[in-house]
Amino acid sequence: MSYRTLDDLDDGQRVLARFDLNSPVSVGVVEDNRRFARHARTVRELVDAGHRVALLAHQGRPGRDTFVTLEQHADILAEYLDHPVEYVPDTYGQTALDAIEHLDASDVILLENVRMTDDELPERDPEEHSRSDLVQTLAPEFDAYVGDAYSAAHRRHASIVGFPLVMDAYAGRVMAAEYEANSAIATREFDGEVTMVAGGTKATDVIEVMTTLRDKVDNFLLGGVVGELFLRAVGYDVGRDIDENDLYESQWLANREKIADLIENHPSDLVYPTDLAYADGADERAEVTVAEVKNKDHDYLDVGSDTAEQYADIAANSEAVFVKGALGMFEDERFSDGTTRVLDAIAQGDCFSVVGGGDTSRAIEMYGMDEADFSHVSIAGGAYINALTGQPLPGVEVLKDDGEW
């Protein structure tokens, strides 16, 4: 075995675990999200095995409204666990060390936001981070380190990459499950067609994924800003900004060569929207075929009904489907049709399916779908992109025993 998991960890250890509990914050209130539920499973397993558990996590970045303490996070996590989680307002000072020293079997403490330390955020090599005060102070207090912060695994931060170099290190359940599912498109061979839903507003990220995976994917279902930019490239009057928001033009300029290359060399893999949806004067959903658009004067907020039906049919008949970006602004029910119809088709089929993290995965919960109907629903954003494109994840690499995951 090339890496160790919780199955390899003897019971009754003193364990330092790194999670990603980063959450939206509204007027100072930390909002619940699926990260708590996922990581709670790892904590529950540690508690049941009688470990003494200290948790490290981050929230926001310095200077942002989301940069708050982890006191509320401890309460939310405790609710999922139905087990106390003590918040410690210190990361590696004397208050933290005292709390660690007094841990009993199955106790859980959550140390203060690790990004409130000077050592955490600089992007440095693991060897340099392993010599930091943060790592050198906390590591001797524990028997083992559990890396479970997959959604931050693309960062070379001290608590992600420093500890595994000086401690026995193990992959947590979230880390192992996320990496295996998200890297499947780059590492697995599928007998049938592989489809990727390529949408959302972050066209640059999605187009990079498409460029990297163009020999692995049979159908790119285009939507969102991505879809409009590809339509613009083949001559339709869309993919342009109609107000002061620079959503399309900057991404067009940054990606038009990659778009042109995909159109020229992989034309049969690209599936374009044939119709688009917008809000008419009465704020109702209206649709127009792309051929009828002569002068873009609406923000297009979803693919049209014909496109949604076509995409759902392709997804339902694929062996594997990877979702990277929504097909429309699904947060508004009027413009959820494209995203939800394709997700429904995936859920009802028997394909291997991975739904990317961030906003897209929220549609599953918003529209009453069951996560169990998908092979994997990711809680990661940047790490998901890295895994899709085969880029190394520093937080994964440091957990490997022999350089092989």
Side-chain angles (χ1 to χ4, degrees), residues 237-311:
D237 193 16
V238 296
R240 305 177 189 279
D241 296 300
I242 61 173
D243 51 31
E244 295 181 357
N245 294 325
D246 185 12
L247 186 59
Y248 291 92
E249 197 62 31
S250 60
Q251 296 195 88
W252 167 255
L253 294 173
N255 296 289
R256 59 183 177 181
E257 291 183 4
K258 291 180 180 179
I259 292 171
D261 179 67
L262 286 165
I263 291 171
E264 179 180 356
N265 295 301
H266 294 266
S268 63
D269 300 340
L270 304 173
V271 188
Y272 297 86
T274 57
D275 52 353
L276 300 168
Y278 62 95
D280 66 12
D283 283 336
E284 298 295 331
R285 178 185 173 106
E287 298 189 358
V288 61
T289 66
V290 295
E292 292 174 319
V293 179
K294 301 304 180 186
N295 216 349
K296 181 179 178 181
D297 56 1
H298 297 285
D299 284 322
Y300 296 110
L301 305 176
D302 193 12
V303 296
S305 301
D306 288 345
T307 300
E309 182 176 355
Q310 178 193 15
Y311 285 7

Side-chain angles (χ1 to χ4, degrees), residues 7-55:
D7 296 330
D8 306 297
L9 180 60
D10 292 336
D11 292 351
Q13 303 291 299
R14 197 175 289 267
V15 174
L16 177 66
R18 174 58 158 101
F19 290 170
D20 185 355
L21 301 177
N22 197 42
S23 304
V25 178
S26 178
V27 197
V29 177
V30 175
E31 298 178 7
D32 189 1
N33 65 70
R34 60 168 47 91
R35 287 178 175 173
F36 288 96
R38 296 284 181 86
H39 285 301
R41 300 171 191 171
T42 298
V43 183
R44 170 51 63 188
E45 193 168 342
L46 294 172
V47 167
D48 289 347
H51 296 298
R52 298 164 172 83
V53 183
L55 307 177

Side-chain angles (χ1 to χ4, degrees), residues 214-233:
R214 57 188 176 180
D215 295 323
K216 290 273 190 178
V217 175
D218 301 291
N219 308 294
F220 288 107
L221 308 182
L222 303 173
V225 173
V226 182
E228 285 201 48
L229 293 182
F230 273 85
L231 286 170
R232 174 177 175 173

Side-chain angles (χ1 to χ4, degrees), residues 75-398:
D75 292 337
I76 297 171
L77 186 60
E79 290 182 12
Y80 277 102
L81 285 172
D82 194 23
H83 183 88
V85 176
E86 178 188 352
Y87 161 68
V88 178
D90 183 27
T91 308
Y92 68 101
Q94 193 58 51
T95 299
L97 296 176
D98 289 344
I100 294 166
E101 181 182 355
H102 289 95
L103 282 170
D104 290 326
S106 299
D107 281 353
V108 182
I109 61 174
L110 177 60
L111 302 176
E112 184 58 283
N113 187 345
V114 70
R115 287 186 176 175
M116 291 183 176
T117 71
D118 292 337
D119 289 340
E120 174 67 0
L121 278 172
E123 293 272 350
R124 293 172 177 158
D125 291 336
E127 292 79 5
E128 187 174 356
H129 272 314
S130 72
R131 297 189 293 270
S132 66
D133 288 342
L134 170 68
V135 173
Q136 289 295 313
T137 301
L138 287 182
E141 305 297 320
F142 297 93
D143 303 307
Y145 170 86
V146 173
D148 212 33
Y150 176 81
S151 48
H154 58 305
R155 305 294 189 188
R156 290 184 298 124
H157 293 167
S159 64
I160 301 293
V161 301
F163 288 104
L165 270 64
V166 296
M167 300 174 65
D168 287 338
Y170 302 80
R173 298 306 186 197
V174 171
M175 179 71 77
E178 286 274 2
Y179 187 76
E180 181 179 352
N182 296 344
S183 60
I185 195 169
T187 60
R188 286 179 54 172
E189 293 293 333
F190 297 98
D191 293 331
E193 290 199 336
V194 176
T195 293
M196 173 168 283
V197 178
T201 60
K202 297 179 180 178
T204 296
D205 288 345
V206 176
I207 292 167
E208 181 63 31
V209 171
M210 293 174 64
T211 300
T212 303
L213 296 177
R214 57 188 176 180
D215 295 323
K216 290 273 190 178
V217 175
D218 301 291
N219 308 294
F220 288 107
L221 308 182
L222 303 173
V225 173
V226 182
E228 285 201 48
L229 293 182
F230 273 85
L231 286 170
R232 174 177 175 173
V234 294
Y236 292 101
D237 193 16
V238 296
R240 305 177 189 279
D241 296 300
I242 61 173
D243 51 31
E244 295 181 357
N245 294 325
D246 185 12
L247 186 59
Y248 291 92
E249 197 62 31
S250 60
Q251 296 195 88
W252 167 255
L253 294 173
N255 296 289
R256 59 183 177 181
E257 291 183 4
K258 291 180 180 179
I259 292 171
D261 179 67
L262 286 165
I263 291 171
E264 179 180 356
N265 295 301
H266 294 266
S268 63
D269 300 340
L270 304 173
V271 188
Y272 297 86
T274 57
D275 52 353
L276 300 168
Y278 62 95
D280 66 12
D283 283 336
E284 298 295 331
R285 178 185 173 106
E287 298 189 358
V288 61
T289 66
V290 295
E292 292 174 319
V293 179
K294 301 304 180 186
N295 216 349
K296 181 179 178 181
D297 56 1
H298 297 285
D299 284 322
Y300 296 110
L301 305 176
D302 193 12
V303 296
S305 301
D306 288 345
T307 300
E309 182 176 355
Q310 178 193 15
Y311 285 7
D313 184 62
I314 293 171
N317 289 284
S318 298
E319 185 182 352
V321 182
F322 295 81
V323 180
K324 183 64 190 88
L327 294 172
M329 195 177 72
F330 66 83
E331 295 88 347
D332 185 330
E333 189 172 358
R334 295 171 301 169
F335 304 107
S336 64
D337 188 54
T339 301
T340 56
R341 287 183 69 176
V342 171
L343 289 175
D344 277 333
I346 297 169
Q348 293 172 24
D350 58 1
C351 62
F352 177 83
S353 56
V354 179
V355 180
D359 289 341
T360 311
S361 61
R362 287 195 299 114
I364 293 173
E365 181 177 359
M366 282 183 65
Y367 292 96
M369 303 178 203
D370 189 345
E371 281 194 15
D373 290 333
F374 302 88
S375 303
H376 185 69
V377 178
S378 180
I379 57 174
Y384 178 60
I385 294 173
N386 280 36
L388 287 177
T389 56
Q391 298 179 58
L393 294 166
V396 171
E397 299 298 313
V398 292

